[in-house]
Structure formats: structure tokens, C-alpha cells
Amino acid sequence: MMDFSEKLLTLRKAKGLTQEQLAEMLEKQQKEMLVREQKMRAVFGCGMYAAAIYLIFIAVYAVGHFYFEVWNPSIVFAEFLVATAIVIIVCVKKLSKRL
């Protein structure tokens, strides 16, 4: 089994690259991988915020329904729309910083 330096040397010889070109190619790949990972983390964080906000919505609905006996579909729908607007605002802010 070849170690990493032997693989790099074999790749360099096979492609006819200089050491500087190979280093630039590897650096470009590392930057692409870093950007991809940052995007994935931002999207995952947005999903986690969305889940938390909708859990708060469910808790508010449960308190209103069971303790205050509020069961008006228009109120529940309005609460859902407010929660959705909050999710959109949070995700746009979070993703605009990262992307």
C-alpha cells in the first residue's frame, strides 16, 4: 500500500505536473471542500433552527389549546404563519452570512 507522498509523486508523474502545479491543484481542491462543508453546516444549522422554532410553535399551540381553550383555526393558522416567517428570516440571515 502506498503512502500519501508516493501517491502524490505518482500523480505528478502521470499528469506531467510540476510540484507547484500539483500544490496549486491540491490547494484548490481543499478550498472547494471547505466551502462545500461550510455550506452543509449552514444548511444543517438552518434546519435545526427551523425545528426549534416549530417546536416552540407546537408548545404555544398546546398551551393555548389545553389551558386557554383556544381552538380557532384562523388563530392556529396565523401562529403557523408567524412561525414560518420567523424560520424564513432566521434562515435567510444565517445562509446569507455563510454563502
Side-chain angles (χ1 to χ4, degrees), residues 31-50:
K31 286 181 182 179
E32 290 173 358
M33 288 172 49
L34 179 64
V35 167
R36 190 177 316 125
E37 183 177 339
Q38 287 175 341
K39 286 181 182 179
M40 285 179 19
R41 283 185 181 210
V43 170
F44 179 75
C46 179
M48 295 303 291
Y49 278 118

Side-chain angles (χ1 to χ4, degrees), residues 5-42:
S5 60
E6 290 174 354
K7 288 180 184 179
L8 284 177
L9 188 60
T10 305
L11 177 66
R12 192 180 120 197
K13 288 180 182 177
K15 296 230 178 201
L17 300 172
T18 65
Q19 200 165 5
E20 291 82 22
Q21 290 171 330
L22 182 63
E24 289 174 5
M25 186 175 77
L26 290 173
E27 185 177 337
K28 181 181 174 187
Q29 287 178 348
Q30 283 180 334
K31 286 181 182 179
E32 290 173 358
M33 288 172 49
L34 179 64
V35 167
R36 190 177 316 125
E37 183 177 339
Q38 287 175 341
K39 286 181 182 179
M40 285 179 19
R41 283 185 181 210

Side-chain angles (χ1 to χ4, degrees), residues 43-86:
V43 170
F44 179 75
C46 179
M48 295 303 291
Y49 278 118
I53 290 168
Y54 283 121
L55 283 174
I56 292 170
F57 160 71
I58 291 170
V60 167
Y61 163 74
V63 167
H65 180 69
F66 293 113
Y67 290 108
F68 300 112
E69 297 179 5
V70 175
W71 178 237
N72 187 344
S74 61
I75 292 175
V76 175
F77 186 64
E79 290 174 350
F80 176 75
L81 289 179
V82 169
T84 301
I86 293 170

